[in-house]
Amino acid sequence: MRTVELLLDEAAELAVREAWRRLADAGLPSQARHRSPTNSPHLTLAACPELTAPIRWELAEVAAVLPLPVRFTGVVRFERPTSVLAWGLALDSALAGLHRRVWEAVASDSPPGSLSPFHEPGRWIPHITLGRTRRAGAFTGRRVPELLPVPPLSVRLVTLRSYDTETGALEVLAPRP
């Protein structure tokens, strides 16, 4: 699979990495434990079997609107099928529009049924993962939010990229010149 992701500006990335460190230091599941050199704080927009030429063409158009200002909304937790602790992002009209364009691009040239329904517009919940585990309820303790730094007020999504889950290759998806 190929993910389509947005990277954070430098200050926001540092704040997320600090949250990762604090979770790890407390012995909790943390993305800091994911040692891959490709591991960066990111917002996943979609995943598709491959980035075909038509998908790439559309994603280059999407990348042209970056940077995009967004704001964190606070701590969110998911239990589906893994336990996830994250910082949520406000889904304003600009982010919703960008996400819809990415979804339409990947859906336009992917086999039916090959896209995750969690990324579908209307179901997608924008978030930056801080920690995840297969252990149910891992983040239900009341002290978890107290461990985390305050997320920055001003955040910009600056780079569109794709990650190949099979090869580990990263690709920046830039606007066409």
Side-chain angles (χ1 to χ4, degrees):
M1 291 296 279
R2 298 289 300 256
T3 63
V4 180
E5 307 169 344
L6 286 167
L7 299 180
L8 307 171
D9 65 66
E10 186 177 350
E13 178 176 338
L14 289 172
V16 172
R17 288 186 183 278
E18 174 64 12
W20 290 0
R21 185 193 63 75
R22 289 184 186 190
L23 289 170
D25 288 352
L28 292 167
S30 168
Q31 291 303 98
R33 297 191 200 305
H34 183 6
R35 297 291 183 193
S36 167
T38 62
N39 185 32
S40 295
H42 65 274
L43 172 62
T44 302
L45 300 166
C48 56
E50 66 176 305
L51 289 181
T52 63
I55 293 171
R56 287 173 189 281
W57 183 264
E58 291 298 320
L59 293 178
E61 293 293 317
V62 171
V65 305
L66 298 174
L68 181 69
V70 295
R71 69 179 173 80
F72 284 116
T73 59
V75 174
V76 293
R77 294 178 175 98
F78 304 104
E79 295 286 339
R80 54 173 181 152
T82 58
S83 291
V84 175
L85 180 74
W87 276 337
L89 292 170
L91 185 57
D92 62 14
S93 61
L95 182 55
L98 183 147
H99 174 254
R100 180 167 295 284
R101 289 180 66 196
V102 167
W103 177 264
E104 289 170 355
V106 299
S108 71
D109 206 35
S110 294
S114 65
L115 304 180
S116 168
F118 290 125
H119 296 131
E120 188 176 338
R123 290 192 66 189
W124 179 67
I125 300 171
H127 64 279
I128 307 296
T129 299
L130 303 176
R132 66 183 310 138
T133 180
R134 295 191 190 281
R135 196 174 72 240
F139 299 108
T140 57
R142 284 184 264 176
R143 67 186 191 110
V144 171
E146 296 167 7
L147 292 171
L148 301 174
V150 175
L153 295 176
S154 175
V155 178
R156 292 179 312 128
L157 301 170
V158 295
T159 304
L160 187 67
R161 77 172 186 183
S162 177
Y163 173 70
D164 186 322
T165 61
E166 292 177 22
T167 67
L170 285 177
E171 177 185 356
V172 171
L173 303 165
R176 289 187 307 271

